[in-house]
Amino acid sequence: MTLDVASAILKRRATKQFDARHPMSAQDLETILGLARRMPTAFNIQNWRFVAVTDPDLRREIRKVAWDQPQVTDASVLLILCADIKAWEKSPERYWANAAPATRDIMVGAIDQYYRGREQVQRDEGMRSCGMAAGAIMLLAESMGYGTCPMDGFDFDAVGKLIRLPEDHEIVMFVAIGKPAEAPYPTGGILPSSEIIVTDRFGE
Ligand SMILES: Cc1cc2nc3c(=O)[nH]c(=O)nc-3n(C[C@H](O)[C@H](O)[C@H](O)COP(=O)(O)O)c2cc1C
């Protein structure tokens, strides 16, 4: 099954209960992650790292530090979206491997100038990249007949220890993917567009 983008957006809801017996094929996961990686990152630094947690024991350990939320163990796949905060300085010429040498040199210089010494910007960039990846992952999964749950209800430090998160990485969020076991609750409510969409400037 595939859905067009608008249908996938409208159909997606946060799945609270997954069918714990439903496996996801390695190929489906590869499709989702392969396509999500085509989302943009600033300067093409591809600073996202996707941890697919498959070990049931590890899932149980993570659930203990995630408010005992059942999605952690019952989803077919638990993805932990992480950001490599220092990706910008790790052989940045790799991010422009296909560019002409002169262009590559310009981009490598620009990357250094943009991120060096700007710790907050480095971290924020990881949040932006993983946020975009998370959106793509959820819509792709939806279009393939899965449900998803974006999650940040967990102890970030404890999960970091469990997955041996490197010092210069940050966990951004989880996306649990699987087969929904029940219909979603009614949607919480959508704010009026007048509150969300601003033309030109915010009011005084
Ligand atoms: C960053 C983020 C973190 C979230 N964390 C959790 C979570 O830990 N547990 C949970 O059940 N839902 C979580 N949600 C789901 C939201 O509550 C849900 O997306 C929101 O209420 C809108 O409902 P809908 O996704 O069904 O449209 C999270 C959503 C986002 C975007």
Side-chain angles (χ1 to χ4, degrees):
M1 174 171 75
T2 53
L3 293 177
D4 63 273
V5 177
S7 303
I9 288 173
L10 290 172
K11 190 160 172 290
R12 186 216 59 79
R13 296 293 313 285
T15 300
K16 308 287 174 171
Q17 299 290 341
F18 288 99
D19 176 351
R21 292 154 308 171
H22 187 81
M24 176 189 272
S25 71
Q27 198 187 342
D28 277 359
L29 182 60
E30 211 175 294
T31 300
I32 291 170
L33 294 183
L35 289 170
R37 292 181 54 199
R38 304 304 289 267
M39 293 299 280
T41 53
F43 298 107
N44 200 35
I45 60 174
Q46 299 160 70
N47 49 346
W48 42 43
R49 303 290 179 262
F50 305 137
V51 179
V53 186
T54 57
D55 175 0
D57 290 337
L58 181 54
R59 294 259 214 120
R60 277 192 285 274
E61 289 302 306
I62 294 173
R63 178 168 167 172
K64 286 184 200 161
V65 293
W67 306 345
D68 196 31
Q69 296 192 76
Q71 301 97 313
V72 174
T73 49
D74 297 353
S76 306
V77 173
L78 178 71
L79 293 177
I80 305 182
L81 275 55
C82 306
D84 180 350
I85 304 301
K86 297 295 176 189
W88 63 274
E89 63 177 358
K90 294 177 181 167
S91 306
E93 66 283 355
R94 293 178 296 142
Y95 312 138
W96 292 91
N98 298 338
T103 309
R104 184 160 56 240
D105 288 350
I106 290 169
M107 294 313 295
V108 167
I111 289 170
D112 196 87
Q113 199 175 16
Y114 190 76
Y115 292 107
R116 188 168 297 281
R118 302 176 76 200
E119 313 298 323
Q120 169 97 42
V121 174
Q122 296 169 20
R123 190 175 186 282
D124 288 350
E125 209 70 275
M127 303 297 145
R128 278 187 276 274
S129 297
C130 287
M132 274 185 282
I137 288 167
M138 290 188 286
L139 297 183
L140 285 160
E142 196 69 44
S143 81
M144 293 163 67
Y146 294 100
T148 58
C149 191
M151 302 177 71
D152 64 6
F154 55 87
D155 179 332
F156 282 64
D157 290 336
V159 174
K161 285 197 185 83
L162 287 169
I163 64 168
R164 298 205 299 262
L165 186 76
E167 224 9 59
D168 58 1
H169 287 45
E170 291 277 351
I171 294 176
V172 177
M173 61 189 291
F174 294 171
V175 180
I177 312 174
K179 186 175 169 214
E182 59 177 30
Y185 302 116
T187 187
I190 306 291
L191 292 173
S193 61
S194 58
E195 193 176 333
I196 304 293
I197 299 168
V198 175
T199 304
D200 296 331
R201 297 175 185 83
F202 284 89
E204 287 163 35

